[in-house]
Amino acid sequence: MTLATLSEVLQPALRGGYAVAGLVCLGWEDARAYALAAEAERAPVILQAGPSCRAHTPLPVLGAMFRHLADSVSVPVVVHLDHGYTVEDCHDAIRAGFSSVMFDGSRKPLAENIAETAAIVELAHNAGVSCEGEIGFVGYSGGEASAGTDPAEAARFARETGVDAMAISVGNVHLQQDHEGGLDEPRIRAIEAVTDVPLVIHGGSGVPLAERTALATCSAICKFNIGTELRMAFGAALRAAVNRDPARFDRVQILKETHDPVMEAARAAIRAMGASGKA
Ligand SMILES: [Zn+2]
């Protein structure tokens, strides 16, 4: 049994100079590959269920599945809700056995984001669960534009909400398919100077690997969310498996061939954050 809260993996990461991978799961095949990747790297890992994952599979099924994976490996596994948008989302996740929730109030006015996040932090902490919040707005490639995190607002957000981790907007963008967008390091330094809360980068796939490593080692960034690059590895492996034999129709046979490439991609992401051997 290695279920852990977000705090239990991010506080050691903050002290130890590495970051923990928040790996975006869409189902059993990728979640299992990520858990085994963490086991192989001897690294803590965060299995996270975002909105599209939850639209496909009911939350109680995901909670049971991720907790089963936590039980089956010997490294710490955080069962995390990514982008909960309402109290109900977070409450349902806690009931479904998640050990950590993210409440995303980043589209709301500051005072509202603070008030609602603080209420969910209280709800989560009363249940022994961690809570991540977001200050500033991390945009979407080809969609909504970002609003960079203001350091003074970040300090106030951290102080008044009591969050265990804080997602910030510092040049990162969701859903990027290349590694070309570097981060605004002066803004990261200004934020970490005014708060002790571990920082989170959403849209980690868009951050160059060398920059991920440097920031994981030498900044308060303790969690990079990685989704797009792993979904691309899964998609490429699935396409190759389907095309290899047009007569094959059994989905278990086909999906089996996604396991090794997805696990390798996850191991590479974990290694780039300096987390290998830290469990
Ligand atoms: Zn995100």
Side-chain angles (χ1 to χ4, degrees):
M1 185 66 188
T2 61
L3 184 72
T5 66
L6 197 59
S7 270
E8 285 167 346
V9 300
L10 295 193
Q11 287 297 332
L14 183 64
R15 291 191 298 271
Y18 60 97
V20 183
L23 302 180
V24 173
C25 302
L26 291 183
W28 169 248
E29 288 78 16
D30 50 10
R32 179 183 53 188
Y34 301 159
L36 292 175
E39 178 87 336
E41 290 295 327
R42 305 301 311 152
V45 72
I46 301 154
L47 299 179
Q48 48 188 58
S52 66
C53 179
R54 279 138 44 201
H56 182 63
T57 305
L59 207 49
V61 176
L62 295 167
M65 197 164 83
F66 292 175
R67 288 181 69 115
H68 175 81
L69 287 168
D71 281 345
S72 68
V73 296
S74 60
V75 294
V77 176
V78 180
V79 177
H80 179 75
L81 181 83
D82 191 27
H83 293 283
Y85 292 114
T86 62
V87 175
E88 290 71 36
D89 285 346
C90 297
H91 191 252
D92 289 351
I94 292 168
R95 267 210 317 220
F98 282 64
S99 60
S100 176
V101 295
M102 182 220 181
F103 174 67
D104 176 3
S106 63
R107 288 186 179 85
K108 299 168 192 262
L110 179 64
E112 224 171 288
N113 187 10
I114 289 175
E116 293 184 17
T117 304
I120 289 166
V121 167
E122 191 180 354
L123 173 82
H125 285 178
N126 285 340
V129 165
S130 293
C131 184
E132 173 186 334
E134 178 168 328
I135 181 71
F137 179 74
V138 180
Y140 291 81
S141 180
E144 292 164 281
S146 292
T149 301
D150 174 73
E153 288 188 3
R156 182 178 159 203
F157 182 83
R159 197 171 55 241
E160 296 183 11
T161 62
V163 284
D164 301 290
M166 189 159 60
I168 56 171
S169 176
V170 288
N172 44 320
V173 178
H174 288 105
L175 308 178
Q176 281 184 310
Q177 293 181 30
D178 58 42
H179 304 323
E180 285 160 19
L183 299 183
D184 179 352
E185 295 196 22
R187 194 185 287 265
I188 294 168
R189 297 300 170 199
I191 295 166
E192 68 184 6
V194 293
T195 178
D196 296 328
V197 174
L199 304 177
V200 180
I201 295 296
H202 285 229
S205 291
V207 180
L209 279 172
E211 189 174 33
R212 283 184 220 170
T213 305
L215 289 170
T217 317
C218 296
S219 81
I221 293 168
C222 297
K223 174 179 183 247
F224 284 92
N225 287 2
I226 306 291
T228 303
E229 73 186 33
L230 299 174
R231 290 187 296 117
M232 289 170 79
F234 188 97
L238 181 61
R239 187 168 288 107
V242 167
N243 291 344
R244 191 163 2 261
D245 180 1
R248 193 162 58 167
F249 57 83
D250 184 279
R251 106 170 175 218
V252 172
Q253 291 291 319
I254 293 168
L255 285 169
K256 235 178 217 160
E257 293 175 21
T258 64
H259 178 79
D260 289 350
V262 172
M263 180 170 158
E264 277 315 308
R267 289 187 69 168
I270 290 167
R271 279 197 297 270
M273 297 178 204
S276 300
K278 303 295 187 183

